[in-house]
Amino acid sequence: FGSRSCQTCSQASKVVSILPKAMPHVFNYELNEFQQVHYDKVPQRPTGNIKKRQRTAEAVKMFIKLEAEETKKTELRAKRREALGK
């Protein structure tokens, strides 16, 4: 029994805290500057809108790329039609 309690004590001393240790910077609008705040004091924000904005930006980039490719194809088709028409 004695060795079992020693193993438990040694395992307990190896437990690592899963809480973040960093203190995030939060913008204080009253002082117009960033301040370090303890992570417990920072309110949680929903990530739904953030992800939606990111998806929207990625979609816009994709549509711009597709539009450029389609423009190139259209110009190439017009050149081919001119070449065939002559």
Side-chain angles (χ1 to χ4, degrees):
F1 291 113
S3 63
R4 187 179 260 175
S5 63
C6 290
Q7 288 176 353
T8 305
C9 293
S10 64
Q11 288 175 353
S13 65
K14 293 180 183 179
V15 174
V16 178
S17 174
I18 59 171
L19 298 175
K21 302 224 185 262
M23 293 181 60
H25 288 79
V26 177
F27 191 75
N28 185 342
Y29 289 98
E30 295 172 359
L31 300 175
N32 200 25
E33 64 182 15
F34 283 95
Q35 292 181 331
Q36 278 189 318
V37 180
H38 197 272
Y39 69 92
D40 284 340
K41 306 292 183 192
V42 178
Q44 291 188 356
R45 295 174 35 197
T47 59
N49 294 335
I50 295 171
K51 291 179 182 176
K52 183 176 181 182
R53 282 194 301 258
Q54 184 177 3
R55 281 195 309 263
T56 302
E58 290 172 357
V60 168
K61 289 178 187 176
M62 181 191 68
F63 290 137
I64 290 172
K65 181 181 173 186
L66 290 175
E67 185 179 13
E69 290 174 359
E70 192 62 33
T71 304
K72 288 179 185 177
K73 288 180 184 178
T74 304
E75 291 173 357
L76 183 61
R77 287 183 195 129
K79 288 180 182 178
R80 285 182 187 163
R81 285 184 188 138
E82 287 180 20
L84 291 174
K86 290 184 178 180

